[in-house]
Amino acid sequence: RQNASSGSLAHCMSLGEELSAKIMASYLGFAHVEAANAFWFDSSGKLDVKKTVANLKSATSGVRQAVIGGFYGSSELGRAVFSRGGSDVSGTYCAVATNSNLYLNCTDVCGVFVADPSKVVDSRRLTELSYDQMRRLSLAGATVLHNQAVMPLAKYGIPLEIKSFYTPHKVGTLVTERAAQNAVLSVTEKMQNG
């Protein structure tokens, strides 16, 4: 996470995201919710969850459809950004603030696999996982979802579905309280030099 003023690296890093959200909202005819006004980081750089959820509830009250940028917000020092994959965390808190029935997280793969599908041919997709299993996989290095995105959903019982934006018609991975019944959840890779 980084913060600073409007000329800062954090501001530069998030400007494309901000402009993309505004363009998409205009194109779709949806409201635009400015992430910098919604996501709040405290003086230590940690997301202030209570203030963020209150900001999101206020910004989305009476709004049927909206576009909000991901991975950035504000602090007393100016613009702030989440760590890599922070849009997953932003989406999670949007789902919490709006009392959603489902958080659909679209990424470049159609779900969670036992091994990286770009490196392992015919890697098996997991159809369902528990919140705890997903958190453990994220902490162990599965980059499909930010590890801080899971537990808020578990706390409020909001199901998470991970799908691909390339193939939205394909089944993804559903994350709920129900644990996967698979013997192997992930395969790790050991690289050798030489």
Side-chain angles (χ1 to χ4, degrees), residues 86-139:
S87 293
D88 298 342
V89 181
S90 300
T92 290
Y93 285 107
C94 287
V96 168
T98 58
N99 298 314
S100 295
N101 294 323
L102 175 72
Y103 170 35
L104 178 60
N105 184 295
C106 293
T107 184
D108 60 346
V109 293
C110 58
V112 180
F113 289 77
V114 297
D116 185 341
S118 69
K119 296 177 182 172
V120 179
V121 178
D122 294 328
S123 179
R124 185 171 51 88
R125 181 182 50 81
L126 300 165
T127 57
E128 59 182 13
L129 290 168
S130 70
Y131 297 114
D132 186 57
Q133 288 171 326
M134 184 68 246
R135 183 183 63 81
R136 287 173 188 253
L137 287 171
S138 294
L139 288 170

Side-chain angles (χ1 to χ4, degrees), residues 7-189:
S8 71
L9 177 60
H11 187 83
C12 292
M13 289 170 60
S14 61
L15 191 57
E17 181 81 1
E18 178 184 347
L19 294 174
S20 294
K22 288 177 179 178
I23 292 167
M24 186 57 74
S26 177
Y27 176 78
L28 295 171
F30 291 178
H32 173 255
V33 174
E34 178 49 58
N37 299 332
F39 297 96
W40 188 258
F41 294 84
D42 65 22
S43 59
S44 70
K46 184 178 176 188
L47 182 68
D48 183 328
V49 172
K50 188 174 181 179
K51 186 170 183 177
T52 294
V53 170
N55 290 346
L56 285 166
K57 283 184 179 194
S58 176
T60 58
S61 177
V63 175
R64 181 165 159 71
Q65 296 171 314
V67 176
I68 184 169
F71 86 76
Y72 73 96
S74 294
S75 74
E76 292 175 3
L77 300 174
R79 187 69 56 103
V81 294
F82 288 94
S83 62
R84 181 169 171 74
S87 293
D88 298 342
V89 181
S90 300
T92 290
Y93 285 107
C94 287
V96 168
T98 58
N99 298 314
S100 295
N101 294 323
L102 175 72
Y103 170 35
L104 178 60
N105 184 295
C106 293
T107 184
D108 60 346
V109 293
C110 58
V112 180
F113 289 77
V114 297
D116 185 341
S118 69
K119 296 177 182 172
V120 179
V121 178
D122 294 328
S123 179
R124 185 171 51 88
R125 181 182 50 81
L126 300 165
T127 57
E128 59 182 13
L129 290 168
S130 70
Y131 297 114
D132 186 57
Q133 288 171 326
M134 184 68 246
R135 183 183 63 81
R136 287 173 188 253
L137 287 171
S138 294
L139 288 170
T143 59
V144 70
L145 187 74
H146 195 290
N147 63 56
Q148 294 176 12
V150 182
M151 296 322 287
L153 297 171
K155 179 178 179 181
Y156 292 95
I158 299 171
L160 162 68
E161 186 172 8
I162 301 171
K163 294 182 87 166
S164 172
F165 46 75
Y166 296 122
T167 55
H169 60 283
K170 286 191 175 181
V171 175
T173 299
L174 185 63
V175 181
T176 62
E177 292 179 354
R178 183 178 164 156
Q181 302 303 312
N182 301 299
V184 177
L185 288 179
S186 75
V187 176
T188 57
E189 178 180 349

